Amino acid sequence: MPRRSRTARRLVVGEATYLWRVGHAHRYVADGATALERFLDCREILTIRRLGGEAQLRVVFGQGEGRLVPDGWLHSGAVGTGDAWLNLHEPGVVRALLDEAAGRGRAFEGHGVADVDGWPLFDAVVAGRRG
């Protein structure tokens, strides 16, 4: 279960108001040799929903080769590649990720949760913030 910030923050985009928060989660797998679960990786999760709506967009940044997320060494919300970094607690970063996801066809419809891999959005957002 993701660890979440206590309160959602507001982001106003035109006529729409969104609520967002940053969380951290771990994935575990069953260890066949024992009855225990084994730690697999860390994920940083940006959850966004439109005010008054139930649909959620979860932008998930998973740990991997050359992909860094908070794992005890980085602060909450930090995602990066070593050369480029984003802070998911910055409203401008949240807006840029929301815009990039929307530009790729991710919309807030229905009542479900849409998980989106954040890494394909990462390069576009970093380039936009540098330019």
Side-chain angles (χ1 to χ4, degrees):
M1 182 62 105
R3 185 182 65 207
R4 299 175 192 241
S5 57
R6 290 193 174 19
T7 58
R9 297 175 65 185
R10 288 180 182 254
L11 177 68
V12 178
V13 179
E15 298 293 318
T17 299
Y18 297 91
L19 299 176
W20 61 279
R21 67 179 70 211
V22 176
H24 186 82
H26 300 113
R27 289 192 313 163
Y28 296 89
V29 293
D31 185 342
T34 68
L36 303 174
E37 291 183 328
R38 184 171 45 86
F39 173 79
L40 186 60
D41 67 6
C42 293
R43 297 177 295 153
E44 201 71 355
I45 303 169
L46 170 64
T47 303
I48 307 170
R49 72 175 177 85
R50 188 173 288 185
L51 184 65
E54 295 182 29
Q56 293 182 15
L57 175 67
R58 293 189 341 159
V59 182
V60 180
F61 291 90
Q63 181 178 17
E65 182 80 27
R67 297 176 171 178
L68 306 169
V69 300
D71 60 357
W73 294 102
L74 301 173
H75 65 80
S76 169
V79 294
T81 60
D83 296 332
W85 294 90
L86 293 175
N87 182 347
L88 301 181
H89 290 288
E90 292 181 11
V93 169
V94 174
R95 169 69 190 270
L97 288 166
L98 176 61
D99 289 347
E100 190 63 31
R104 295 179 186 210
R106 294 299 189 163
F108 294 89
E109 297 176 7
H111 303 286
V113 176
D115 282 350
V116 175
D117 183 358
W119 292 111
L121 308 176
F122 179 87
D123 289 333
V125 170
V126 167
R129 292 178 63 82
R130 286 184 177 163

